[in-house]
Amino acid sequence: MLARSFHSPVDRLQARLLNLAALFLACYALALTLAPAVRQRSLSAGLSWEHWAGFLLWLLLMNLAHWQTARWLPNRDPYLLPAAGLLSGLGVLVTWRLLPYFGLRQSAWLLVSVTLLIAGLRLPADLHFLRRYKYLWLTSGLLLTSLTFFFGVNPSGDGLIELWLGCCGVYLQPSEPLKLLLVIYLAAYLADRLVFIQGRPGGFYLTSLLPLLAPTLIMTGVAILLLTGQRDLGTATVFMFLYAVTVYVASGKRRMLLASLGGLALAGVLGYRLFDVVQIRIDAWLNPWLDPSGRSYQIIQSLLALASGGISGRGPGLGSPGLVPVPHSDFIFASVAEEIGLAGALGLLALLALLTARGIHTALAAPDAFRRYLAAGLTAFLVGQSILIIGGNLRLLPLTGVTLPFVSYGGSSLLVSFFSLLILLHISNQAEFRPAPLADASPYLHLAGLLFAGLAGAALASGWWAVVRGPDLLTRTDNPRRAIADRFVRRGALVDRGNQPINATVGVPGELERRYFYPNLSPVTGYNSPVYGQSGLEASLDGVLRGLQGNPGLTIWLDHVLYGQPPPGLDVRLSLDLELQRQVDRLLAGRKGAAVLLNAATGEVLALASHPNFDANTLEQNWQQYLNDPAAPLLNRATQGLYPPGTALAPFLLAEALAQGQSLPARLPAEARQPEQASPGQVLRCSRPAGNEEGTAIDLR
């Protein structure tokens, strides 16, 4: 745990909060260690230890950061470092859990980022170097971004979008620091220019503001054009949002905010028309169910991850977040929600709400306009971008591909996030100065309200997908998590009346597979395939065979909490008799048809045969052959086929005649033996002529 280096109230509060963060992450790391054994319900499965390197490094770095902030910034806001620290620690552990190689890299970037934070604590308190060289900072960022057109690379190696610079395994994405540099530039420029007319009687008007903003429009426009040329449209969206927010809090003019938001909407329409990637994402956002395995695969799998997590989650290391593409970056929120559930997702959103409140408080208490605009802009950047990517995970907003600050994998994003935190810590460390005069605080309150509304919307959407829609989503055939669970949890068997196995699960946890011991019954008992879904009794009895029905509710809940899985399934004994079934199948061999053998005394089905049939053990190898076979072996003719009734209807026709008061003939008429006219007003016709083996339909009128 973290040592308490100093004794001021600020230091003690920050230490307590960091201790709570360390305790949570230690429990999370312990759960990841036990996850392999828990998943297989056996200690022989081994334990996972590598992620402890990331946790111990985080613990050391937070200790140093706490000690150094207490020394250099004694009056800082005590909530900022713990909130950012917990978010970054969670991101490191989740990345280790998903992809250990990237977890190691993220830990290295965390070392660099926190080292930069500690070194930056000695910067001048007024941050005048940022204000003085505003054009130099932004121009350097633009030039660095433009170099990606000539020297850009893609670390993933696909070459589709080359937004990074670097070599030898170290890469920088210039668009990440460019966001920070834009906020610094806007805050410095507006603080230098607006003060001259804000002090005039009557303030300033929109007509006098637009010429003043011309340089900012040009610089921001150049940045957006560069990003558009790179097809980094998510970052371009963040730029437009940051420009609108910063100008609004500085000027207080709602028209500027509305105009900027209108420009953002117009840019969205133009992007939809001009860029296929925007069109794909908008279409997937509006109706992802049209192409769930194609263009909408990412968002559908993200929603399935939320549904799988439910309220309490599958447990750290026990979910399947890797099914969502890019789970450690774009979809890390879905990864968190699947394994620690709605509760964990709401906790993450609560941390972002805390950052919002403390960031806006820091802005209102800032000693000058520059630092006030800067604090508001950085808060909007960190929280606004978080809402943008979380909303994309939740289908609340279209997908943008930006990172979740402090949490997502990415060195550039982590560096920028911690440098933003450094600036906020400096601005908050101004207890000896009075806040700068502020004529109207409503723009800052509106910004806070906007960010809180976005976080509240994300919380509601999380609850909608995890709780309200969750049960329906989990039964979708394109939810591969059910098939993964079948590999670890034994599915109940189907046995005959003498307890001889028909369909059963064999193997050890992690390698369980379904075996079909009497393949001739495959059209009846069906199959449970990770590729082709379910059919027959395997589908209709799925809840019982999966252990979700028939077990006590407490057992189901405990297995979900402890193992992130349903309990072992229950066996189902059928009324079928395999000895009689084999005799019926021998009689039908080589023929096309069906047979049902009943116990006349009890109504039990003793045999149920359908020919031709298929072997469910070879489903994956022969699926196309079964599907294209004109004999339709996948059809269960005993229940789905239609056949001429022949004389089987005679007892029913005689019963109908007796019910209507008709006298029984001495000998059954021919029309009863092959019915055409049963009685006046009642017609029973076969849809196909007698003798046709494909079947009949009986129309009783």
Side-chain angles (χ1 to χ4, degrees):
M1 293 301 172
L2 294 162
R4 299 181 180 180
S5 305
F6 294 85
H7 304 289
S8 72
V10 170
D11 299 335
R12 288 196 297 270
L13 178 57
Q14 180 173 277
R16 291 193 188 101
L17 294 174
L18 284 171
N19 280 331
L20 289 174
L23 179 61
F24 171 80
L25 294 177
C27 294
Y28 196 97
L30 179 61
L32 290 179
T33 296
L34 298 175
V38 171
R39 182 184 284 269
Q40 298 192 21
R41 309 190 187 198
S42 172
L43 290 176
S44 62
L47 302 175
S48 176
W49 298 100
E50 64 270 14
H51 56 275
W52 282 98
F55 170 72
L56 294 176
L57 178 63
W58 176 91
L59 194 64
L60 173 64
L61 292 173
M62 288 301 110
N63 262 296
L64 291 174
H66 168 65
W67 177 59
Q68 290 295 311
T69 53
R71 177 182 178 185
W72 294 97
L73 303 177
N75 298 310
R76 71 207 173 278
D77 189 303
Y79 295 94
L80 292 174
L81 179 62
L86 180 52
L87 289 171
S88 62
L90 179 63
V92 166
L93 288 180
V94 171
T95 306
W96 269 102
R97 177 263 184 274
L98 292 169
L99 300 162
Y101 170 73
F102 288 108
L104 179 61
R105 292 180 62 90
Q106 187 74 344
S107 299
W109 279 114
L110 181 65
L111 173 61
V112 174
S113 300
V114 178
T115 301
L116 175 66
L117 172 74
I118 294 173
L121 295 175
R122 298 166 177 80
L123 292 174
D126 59 2
L127 304 174
H128 65 277
F129 70 99
L130 294 177
R131 184 173 186 176
R132 179 179 302 173
Y133 303 110
K134 55 184 177 293
Y135 283 105
L136 176 62
W137 300 127
L138 184 58
T139 302
S140 300
L142 292 173
L143 290 175
L144 196 63
T145 304
S146 65
L147 289 178
T148 58
F149 286 101
F150 308 99
F151 307 106
V153 295
N154 191 323
S156 66
D158 56 27
L160 296 177
I161 303 179
E162 298 177 337
L163 304 178
W164 290 263
L165 296 174
C167 67
C168 307
V170 179
Y171 302 96
L172 171 71
Q173 188 175 358
S175 61
E176 288 294 334
L178 191 58
K179 302 170 191 174
L180 173 61
L181 297 176
L182 176 68
V183 174
I184 293 172
Y185 165 75
L186 290 174
Y189 180 89
L190 294 172
D192 291 340
R193 297 298 187 272
L194 294 186
V195 67
F196 293 112
I197 56 177
Q198 279 180 322
R200 296 177 184 175
F204 56 85
Y205 298 94
L206 191 59
T207 54
S208 62
L209 182 62
L210 288 176
L212 196 65
L213 294 177
T216 66
L217 288 169
I218 293 173
M219 298 294 285
T220 307
V222 170
I224 292 174
L225 286 176
L226 281 174
L227 295 169
T228 303
Q230 291 180 321
R231 299 173 69 88
D232 190 1
L233 303 178
T235 302
T237 302
V238 174
F239 268 57
M240 287 185 277
F241 170 74
L242 291 177
Y243 183 84
V245 165
T246 308
V247 171
Y248 173 61
V249 297
S251 66
K253 294 297 181 182
R254 296 183 184 179
R255 293 181 182 178
M256 290 302 303
L257 180 61
L258 295 176
S260 300
L261 295 178
L264 184 61
L266 179 61
V269 173
L270 292 176
Y272 184 84
R273 297 288 185 183
L274 299 176
F275 298 99
D276 54 349
V277 63
V278 177
Q279 187 174 8
I280 290 172
R281 288 179 174 178
I282 294 294
D283 291 342
W285 171 54
L286 294 175
N287 195 346
W289 318 109
L290 289 178
D291 190 13
S293 59
R295 294 182 173 185
S296 304
Y297 181 78
Q298 283 182 298
I299 183 61
I300 291 295
Q301 292 303 316
S302 177
L303 299 181
L304 289 174
L306 283 145
S308 178
I311 296 177
S312 58
R314 293 291 172 183
L318 298 178
S320 303
L323 294 171
V324 187
V326 204
H328 58 298
S329 181
D330 295 5
F331 286 89
I332 199 165
F333 178 80
S335 301
V336 170
E338 178 170 1
E339 299 213 321
I340 55 179
L342 177 62
L346 294 180
L348 192 154
L349 294 172
L351 288 174
L352 294 174
L354 179 62
L355 280 179
T356 301
R358 304 316 299 176
I360 297 301
H361 177 269
T362 298
L364 292 174
D368 57 53
F370 166 63
R371 282 177 280 187
R372 175 169 289 160
Y373 302 157
L374 186 56
L378 292 178
T379 302
F381 158 52
L382 293 173
V383 182
Q385 180 168 309
S386 300
I387 294 171
L388 193 62
I389 188 59
I390 291 173
N393 283 201
L394 297 170
R395 200 193 155 210
L396 195 63
L397 297 169
L399 286 173
T400 55
V402 296
T403 57
L404 181 56
F406 296 109
V407 185
S408 289
Y409 170 78
S412 304
S413 175
L414 198 61
L415 274 171
V416 171
S417 298
F418 269 95
F419 195 80
S420 301
L421 174 66
L422 170 65
I423 295 174
L424 287 173
L425 287 171
H426 270 291
I427 298 173
S428 68
N429 186 51
Q430 305 296 332
E432 67 274 16
F433 297 102
R434 294 176 61 110
L438 182 62
D440 184 10
S442 59
Y444 298 88
L445 300 179
H446 293 160
L447 172 60
L450 178 65
L451 297 177
F452 281 135
L455 294 172
L460 291 174
S462 299
W464 171 259
W465 296 115
V467 179
V468 180
R469 290 294 308 279
D472 293 334
L473 289 176
L474 292 177
T475 60
R476 287 178 59 90
T477 57
D478 55 357
N479 178 20
R481 290 162 181 81
R482 292 159 58 90
I484 293 175
D486 286 340
R487 292 168 46 199
F488 290 91
V489 182
R490 191 171 300 276
R491 183 177 176 85
L494 293 174
V495 299
D496 81 334
R497 63 191 304 113
N499 291 326
Q500 296 185 62
I502 301 174
N503 297 359
T505 297
V506 299
V508 297
E511 300 177 0
L512 296 175
E513 60 178 334
R514 197 69 167 169
R515 291 283 178 82
Y516 307 92
F517 293 99
Y518 190 74
N520 285 336
L521 269 173
S522 293
V524 176
T525 58
Y527 50 80
N528 181 63
S529 167
V531 179
Y532 303 109
Q534 298 173 321
S535 71
L537 295 179
E538 292 278 6
S540 60
L541 296 173
D542 182 67
V544 177
L545 297 174
R546 197 176 292 278
L548 296 175
Q549 296 177 9
N551 279 310
L554 181 60
T555 299
I556 297 173
W557 179 80
L558 283 176
D559 276 63
H560 177 81
V561 171
L562 296 177
Y563 306 111
Q565 300 167 343
L570 301 177
D571 295 344
V572 176
R573 184 166 58 189
L574 307 177
S575 63
L576 298 176
D577 186 317
L578 280 183
E579 295 303 321
L580 294 175
Q581 182 72 40
R582 289 188 179 94
Q583 296 181 37
V584 172
D585 284 323
R586 280 196 296 270
L587 293 173
L588 275 178
R591 295 180 174 85
K592 191 176 183 182
V596 180
L597 181 62
L598 299 175
N599 184 329
T602 63
E604 292 176 302
V605 178
L606 301 177
L608 197 64
S610 175
H611 284 249
N613 49 40
F614 67 97
D615 185 352
N617 293 301
T618 63
L619 199 64
E620 294 185 15
Q621 299 92 324
N622 301 324
W623 174 258
Q624 287 300 324
Q625 176 183 336
Y626 292 147
L627 202 61
N628 299 325
D629 191 337
L634 296 173
L635 179 68
N636 180 8
R637 287 174 167 80
T639 58
Q640 296 171 291
L642 299 174
Y643 297 89
T647 59
L649 286 181
F652 303 100
L653 296 176
L654 292 174
E656 175 66 18
L658 288 173
Q660 295 184 6
Q662 299 181 17
S663 57
L664 292 178
R667 185 172 181 274
L668 190 66
E671 58 267 22
R673 293 193 297 270
Q674 188 61 275
E676 185 68 29
Q677 180 73 29
S679 59
Q682 297 214 348
V683 178
L684 293 93
R685 292 193 178 93
C686 296
S687 63
R688 302 190 183 202
N692 187 307
E693 63 181 358
E694 288 296 339
T696 69
I698 302 171
D699 182 13
L700 182 60
R701 295 182 296 178

